Amino acid sequence: MKYTEEMILSSESGYCMPFEERQGKDVELSLGYGEQTDPVTGKEYFHHGIDFDVRCYTLAAVACGIVSGVGNDPALGICQSIRYGEYEVTYGHLSNVFAQFGQRVKAGQTVALSGDKLHIGVKFKGEELNPLEFLTMLYGNIRAMQQPGFTGMAMSLPTDYESDRREIEELMLRFLPHYIEDLQRGAYRLPAHTEQSLRHIFTMGAAKEYFYENMPSMANPLGLGQKAMPLACKVQNLLIADFLHYLALRHDVYLSTMGVDIKKNSMTKP
């Protein structure tokens, strides 16, 4: 699978690798992804992840996410899955789990402890990936954040919806995939005035050379820097407003702070 723009992983808390190498000890991949040959039986089989020889290592969440599963698998032993947007990352062969099902986590937060080894599996929208590609993307995001002027993305920007921030983030975890899917297949279209406003903002941004102030990356594909923050905030407000408009029209879902009059208006305009 090739990485596309929709596969960009956004995380308010930043990014980190699943574990840190201990001083004086290089961690090696003990089993790769894909077709493998059993050293004992000689039979070929498909390995749905990658394994590391890391005994009793503390494991971290790699971004903002929510624990989507904790269990005991016949092949993976004690395992834990965490959903990061459309990604789901599974840690297997664990000796202990510190973040339970439904718990929200942030980048760098300790979530588990490996056993005699560690298995990592990755899926995007349910489709299996080679975890090395995902980890490479993570590393690129981490390096991008270390660049001078990097300011993060998405909900880390100040918006007109700060008082409802937590509720909007929860709604996004639940409904954002449906919103994107409906946009792609034409089941929902941006209101004309919203689309026109976005076109104006991006035209103005290009004219003022707001884009590519920093080196573009998976974490910051337009290379936005401090100069572009006012423009980015306007875009953020428009997109959140349209997302809430979509929820009202397609799912009859509203923010808990919305009054009756606001609900009526949201059915006709964002």
Side-chain angles (χ1 to χ4, degrees), residues 71-116:
N72 201 327
D73 183 84
L76 298 179
I78 299 174
C79 55
Q80 175 194 64
S81 297
I82 302 178
R83 182 170 292 280
Y84 305 102
E86 291 287 2
Y87 289 95
E88 187 167 61
V89 177
T90 298
Y91 295 155
H93 305 301
L94 305 177
S95 61
N96 207 342
V97 171
F98 304 121
Q100 302 303 322
F101 176 76
Q103 182 175 338
R104 295 185 179 280
V105 295
K106 297 180 179 181
Q109 180 178 336
T110 299
V111 295
L113 186 70
S114 69
D116 291 333

Side-chain angles (χ1 to χ4, degrees), residues 64-78:
C64 287
I66 186 168
V67 179
S68 55
V70 174
N72 201 327
D73 183 84
L76 298 179
I78 299 174

Side-chain angles (χ1 to χ4, degrees), residues 154-167:
M155 288 294 286
S156 59
L157 299 172
T159 72
D160 295 339
Y161 300 89
E162 292 304 300
S163 60
D164 298 307
R165 185 190 190 99
R166 179 64 179 273
E167 186 175 2

